[in-house]
Amino acid sequence: GNNIGDKAIASRLLGGVHYYKGNYDSTIKYSYDSYALAEASRDSTLMTSAMNNIGLAYYNVGSYPEALEFLLRSLNLKLKIRQEYGLAQTMNNIGLVYTELRDYEKATEYFGKAIAIAEEKGDQDQRLYSLNNLGYTFLDQNDLDRAGDYFSRALRLATTIDNAIWHSAACSGAGQVYLRQDSIQ
């Protein structure tokens, strides 16, 4: 097979292993290696994946400008090559970074795009993830009505799919809305 491509994939997988262990510095290192190898083998799909992973690792260590740079680069290349795989996920990742930067308008815009893509593709997991992300974005702004609306939609969807983590995230968000509403009445 394509030796450089195989090395790029191996580096990407090693980066993924370190990501799940919480070793984000190693994730960044292996993902950079993967990106360089993917670029050398002109594999755009691997390049988008490596850039997404670099961005996500930077997000996890709190380096938001770098996270945004790589996630946006990944997104732009995905759009350019019309790569649909992981598109909603990358939109969600970008929204999460904007949430951390307290740019709620941009966060809402990207979560909204992620929902639209997920609905078009029938990807209920990404749809649930996006609804939760929007709920938390409005919760952060103390817009309890809109947060409650998104968490209600998330909870309705969560009962139809098997995703315990995002189901519990929807329950937690809805609970926070109720607690805050209760304390202001």
Side-chain angles (χ1 to χ4, degrees):
N2 175 349
N3 200 19
I4 299 173
D6 291 344
K7 284 181 182 160
I9 291 167
S11 292
R12 185 185 61 125
L13 294 173
L14 277 168
V17 169
H18 284 285
Y19 182 83
Y20 287 107
K21 289 170 138 182
N23 304 334
Y24 302 118
D25 292 343
S26 297
T27 300
I28 291 167
K29 178 196 172 299
Y30 284 111
S31 298
Y32 266 115
D33 289 350
S34 176
Y35 178 75
L37 291 161
E39 202 174 32
S41 67
R42 293 186 171 80
D43 186 331
S44 298
T45 303
L46 263 176
M47 284 165 66
T48 65
S49 177
M51 285 188 286
N52 178 76
N53 295 350
I54 293 168
L56 204 52
Y58 274 128
Y59 167 76
N60 278 284
V61 296
S63 300
Y64 304 124
E66 291 85 355
L68 204 52
E69 179 198 336
F70 281 95
L71 290 168
L72 287 168
R73 282 172 64 188
S74 175
L75 176 64
N76 290 332
L77 183 55
K78 279 181 185 196
L79 293 172
K80 188 177 155 192
I81 65 173
R82 294 187 171 81
Q83 180 189 329
E84 291 180 355
Y85 176 76
L87 193 58
Q89 183 70 52
T90 299
M91 296 277 190
N92 268 304
N93 292 345
I94 292 168
L96 291 173
V97 178
Y98 277 123
T99 301
E100 290 297 330
L101 294 170
R102 290 181 171 50
D103 187 339
Y104 297 116
E105 203 176 316
K106 276 249 165 56
T108 303
E109 179 193 328
Y110 279 96
F111 293 144
K113 287 178 182 177
I115 282 189
I117 294 163
E119 285 176 348
E120 189 189 315
K121 297 273 154 278
D123 184 341
Q124 304 300 20
D125 279 306
Q126 279 299 317
R127 199 170 144 230
L128 177 56
Y129 188 46
S130 308
L131 288 168
N132 279 337
N133 286 337
L134 277 160
Y136 281 107
T137 301
F138 288 113
L139 194 60
D140 282 354
Q141 299 169 84
N142 224 32
D143 185 339
L144 300 180
D145 289 340
R146 287 180 81 183
D149 179 50
Y150 281 108
F151 287 127
S152 295
R153 287 171 62 188
L155 285 170
R156 278 198 301 276
L157 178 59
T159 58
T160 69
I161 60 175
D162 183 25
N163 192 320
I165 292 171
W166 292 341
H167 192 165
S168 64
C171 290
S172 172
Q176 289 178 60
V177 170
Y178 290 128
L179 283 171
R180 289 191 200 178
Q181 281 173 335
D182 197 39
S183 67
I184 55 175
Q185 279 164 5

